[in-house]
């Protein structure tokens, strides 16, 4: 539990900016960047922030200021990255199943592109030959990730070109004399055991000997962070050591040292975020007590989408002598429980006594929370605040009704 962010009380933030409100702590992000750098200090490391986790411009600028580059998945993320000041060469485009127009656009802007199917590889070869380098996204046939929906490297995954299609890949590369500058893989999200990373890395490094122009090995993201006390997380020291050794051994055999890239999202931003809501009602029912807050699955969808656990606490009441079990729910007109159990079921949380008007805070709200929010039930998207150098800065205004109707075309019916 924490009641302050950089010495600003959460309740003050709620009062100043209103709720629902996303608040991000810049110090936490900076700390995570240095943990990652430290874990891979013996290799030529580049961190490419997977900005799908949180695309707020201020977060992108913060990454850039701290020497982190960026991974994007759509032309719009690409434009946001450029708005934040990233140059084409600092941007990686890792799309899945997009039209070739998007790939062409990204290539013309000078980004590094991860080609993820044979058809696109062939088109890239036809269009650019050896005039532009590209990376290939491989599917290493490895199981890793917190749940089925966020596993990306297993045999049935839609992502990447299977390592079993090596001959087809090499035939296309040779046919168009392509310059393949890197190999990429991404195991999944919430990958806690070093084993999955090691297996995926070995598959990629073994394949790498078949490509002579490599500059980059990109091992994706997916490091697991703690969502609750005592949670098993990726042991960065262990993963750092294992992958560094494997990579340096490979480099020796390959004949030169390449750059090692990672593209984490959650690891860098999840823990920086706190979602502040207000308890609208405390509803006592014969079986359980509900706390209904002024938000729902429209703003923070991870619990309902993945059964994800987010710590929840009463930021308005630090008195631990009176606690109750509460089921924390949203205001959406379908079931939208925030309080899931560690076993992935809807449940209750022990919280300091809640009364209507209290500020209910949810942790780990920095990654895939605002970026997956919607206007469902015609509700307004929340505001976002970044606390940096002890100061709370508004980095996104709360939606207004105009944002909901902006693109509606009012036709005569
Ligand atoms: N690289 C690629 C190619 C990816 O697809 C992803 C995430 C990442 C990197 C970053 O993964 P991370 O380090 O954040 O785990 N919405 C889900 C997570 C979806 C991840 C999609 N791809 C969630 O809230 O759990």
């Amino acid at each position: 539990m924490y009641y302050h962010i950089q010495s600003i009380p959460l309740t003050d933030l709620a009062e100043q900016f209103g709720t629902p409100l996303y608040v991000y702590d810049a110090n936490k992000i900076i700390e995570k960047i240095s943990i990652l750098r430290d874990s891979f200090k013996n290799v030529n490391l580049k961190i490419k922030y997977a900005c799908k986790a949180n695309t707020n411009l201020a977060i992108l600028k913060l990454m850039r200021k701290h020497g982190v580059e960026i991974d994007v998945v759509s032309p719009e993320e690409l434009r946001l990255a450029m708005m934040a000041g990233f140059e084409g060469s600092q941007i990686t485009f890792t799309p899945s199943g997009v039209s070739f127009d998007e790939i062409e656009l990204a290539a013309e802007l000078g980004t590094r592109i991860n080609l993820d199917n044979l058809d696109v590889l062939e088109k890239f070869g036809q269009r650019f030959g050896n005039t532009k380098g590209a990376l290939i996204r491989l599917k290493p046939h490895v199981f890793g990730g917190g749940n089925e929906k966020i596993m990306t490297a297993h045999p049935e995954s839609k992502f990447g070109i299977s390592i079993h299609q090596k001959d087809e890949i090499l035939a296309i590369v040779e046919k168009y004399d392509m310059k393949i500058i890197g190999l990429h893989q991404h195991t999944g999200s919430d990958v806690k055991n070093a084993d999955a990373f090691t297996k995926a890395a070995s598959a990629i490094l073994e394949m790498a000997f078949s490509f002579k122009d490599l500059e980059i090995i990109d091992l994706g993201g997916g490091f697991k962070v703690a969502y609750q006390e005592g949670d098993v997380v990726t042991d960065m020291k262990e993963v750092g050591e294992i992958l560094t050794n494997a990579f340096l051994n490979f480099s020796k055999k390959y004949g030169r040292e390449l750059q090692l890239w990672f593209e984490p999202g959650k690891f860098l931003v999840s823990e920086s975020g706190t979602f502040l809501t207000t308890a609208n009602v405390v509803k006592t029912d014969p079986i359980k007590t509900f706390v209904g807050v002024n938000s729902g699955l429209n703003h923070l969808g991870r619990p309902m989408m993945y059964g994800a656990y987010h710590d929840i606490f009463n930021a308005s009441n630090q008195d631990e002598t009176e606690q109750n079990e509460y089921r924390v729910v949203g205001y959406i007109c379908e079931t939208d429980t925030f309080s899931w159990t560690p076993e992935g079921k809807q449940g209750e949380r022990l919280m300091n006594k809640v009364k209507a008007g209290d500020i209910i805070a949810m942790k780990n709200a920095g990654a895939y929370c605002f970026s997956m929010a919607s206007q469902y039930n015609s509700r307004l998207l929340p505001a976002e605040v970044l606390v940096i150098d002890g100061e709370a800065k508004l980095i996104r205004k709360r939606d207004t009704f105009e944002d909901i109707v902006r693109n509606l075309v009012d036709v005569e019916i």
Side-chain angles (χ1 to χ4, degrees):
M1 237 63 81
Y2 46 81
Y3 293 96
H4 298 81
I5 292 181
Q6 294 181 31
S7 80
I8 308 177
L10 295 180
T11 45
D12 284 10
L13 290 164
E15 196 174 316
Q16 187 182 347
F17 299 99
T19 63
L21 181 74
Y22 277 101
V23 185
Y24 310 115
D25 181 351
N27 284 353
K28 193 73 204 175
I29 297 176
I30 296 165
E31 181 193 324
K32 298 300 299 251
I33 296 171
S34 58
I35 294 174
L36 188 52
R37 286 218 174 98
D38 253 23
S39 313
F40 290 94
K41 56 182 176 304
N42 296 323
V43 296
N44 186 358
L45 175 76
K46 276 207 178 175
I47 308 174
K48 305 274 174 172
Y49 167 54
C51 74
K52 68 195 89 177
N54 187 326
T55 41
N56 190 291
L57 195 59
I59 303 283
L60 306 191
K61 283 177 154 177
L62 183 73
M63 295 292 177
R64 186 168 158 264
K65 184 168 169 203
H66 289 273
V68 171
E69 298 185 350
I70 191 161
D71 184 86
V72 304
V73 294
S74 66
E76 290 70 29
E77 282 190 357
L78 178 48
R79 287 178 68 178
L80 281 164
M82 291 190 140
M83 268 175 83
F86 288 101
E87 286 168 19
S89 61
Q90 298 173 313
I91 304 173
T92 318
F93 185 45
T94 310
S96 163
V98 300
S99 76
F100 193 69
D101 295 350
E102 291 191 7
I103 305 237
E104 240 176 345
L105 171 83
E108 272 147 21
L109 292 171
T111 71
R112 303 282 172 265
I113 304 174
N114 282 314
L115 302 172
D116 108 316
N117 64 68
L118 287 172
D119 189 40
V120 143
L121 182 67
E122 174 118 34
K123 284 200 177 109
F124 199 92
Q126 277 165 357
R127 170 78 173 77
F128 298 111
N130 65 7
T131 63
K132 275 195 198 297
L135 291 86
I136 295 177
R137 177 171 186 172
L138 296 167
K139 177 166 71 174
H141 294 237
V142 165
F143 290 87
N147 64 64
E148 207 179 57
K149 292 180 189 165
I150 55 176
M151 290 165 77
T152 46
H154 59 90
E156 290 188 18
S157 161
K158 70 167 181 171
F159 298 99
I161 308 177
S162 165
I163 46 169
H164 300 314
Q165 288 173 305
K166 180 172 148 190
D167 293 345
E168 286 96 317
I169 298 174
L170 291 176
I172 295 172
V173 170
E174 198 178 319
K175 182 168 165 197
Y176 299 104
D177 186 25
M178 294 177 77
K179 192 164 181 269
I180 299 305
I181 57 168
L183 296 185
H184 167 277
Q185 83 81 32
H186 170 68
T187 315
S189 202
D190 289 340
V191 182
K192 55 182 173 214
N193 58 343
D195 203 40
F197 287 109
T198 316
K199 279 193 186 133
S202 320
I204 302 307
L205 294 177
E206 200 181 307
M207 186 95 155
F209 290 109
S210 305
F211 297 85
K212 59 181 190 326
D213 299 320
L214 295 185
E215 296 162 19
I216 301 151
I217 297 291
D218 179 349
L219 295 180
F223 306 120
K224 184 172 182 309
V225 299
Y227 281 89
Q228 55 187 302
E229 219 162 292
D231 226 356
V232 182
V233 299
T234 312
D235 181 338
M236 293 310 290
K237 199 166 171 281
E238 185 192 11
V239 169
E241 276 168 16
I242 296 175
L243 293 185
T244 296
N245 285 340
F247 186 68
L248 292 179
N249 277 340
F250 157 78
S251 299
K252 225 184 270 163
K253 288 189 206 143
Y254 190 74
R256 61 197 149 86
E257 195 186 332
L258 310 184
Q259 294 167 27
L260 181 59
W261 290 10
F262 286 102
E263 43 190 51
K266 278 179 190 165
F267 182 80
L268 296 179
V269 294
S270 175
E271 293 143 296
S272 76
T274 310
F275 186 45
L276 300 179
T277 63
T278 302
N280 281 338
V281 288
V282 179
K283 178 171 168 180
T284 307
D285 181 269
I287 298 175
K288 53 181 90 270
T289 304
F290 295 92
V291 171
V293 300
N294 63 345
S295 179
L297 60 81
N298 52 328
H299 294 153
L300 199 158
R302 300 191 71 258
M304 288 307 291
M305 245 176 125
Y306 312 114
Y309 186 100
H310 285 254
D311 254 340
I312 307 177
F313 61 99
N314 185 351
S316 298
N317 180 8
Q318 298 186 30
D319 177 6
E320 290 175 9
T321 56
E322 198 182 343
Q323 296 187 320
N324 289 318
E325 295 272 351
Y326 297 103
R327 178 166 290 205
V328 182
V329 296
Y331 57 15
I332 290 294
C333 62
E334 64 178 281
T335 302
D336 61 342
T337 302
F338 286 112
S339 48
W340 284 63
T341 66
E343 294 75 37
K345 294 214 160 53
Q346 300 179 61
E348 284 71 51
R349 298 288 172 81
L350 193 63
M351 290 163 63
N352 295 350
K353 188 173 192 285
V354 180
K355 59 178 184 346
D358 282 354
I359 301 303
I360 306 301
M362 306 189 198
K363 288 164 65 170
N364 284 84
Y368 306 105
C369 291
F370 189 95
S371 66
M372 298 204 305
S374 79
Q375 293 174 332
Y376 184 37
N377 277 201
S378 296
R379 291 286 182 179
L380 310 178
L381 289 175
E384 292 177 288
V385 163
L386 178 69
V387 182
I388 182 161
D389 300 328
E391 200 190 325
K393 292 191 178 161
L394 184 69
I395 58 171
R396 183 192 302 268
K397 291 192 251 173
R398 185 176 306 288
D399 261 7
T400 61
F401 181 65
E402 281 62 48
D403 295 308
I404 288 180
V405 295
R406 185 188 309 284
N407 292 323
L408 291 178
V409 181
D410 192 7
V411 295
E412 274 317 312
I413 302 288

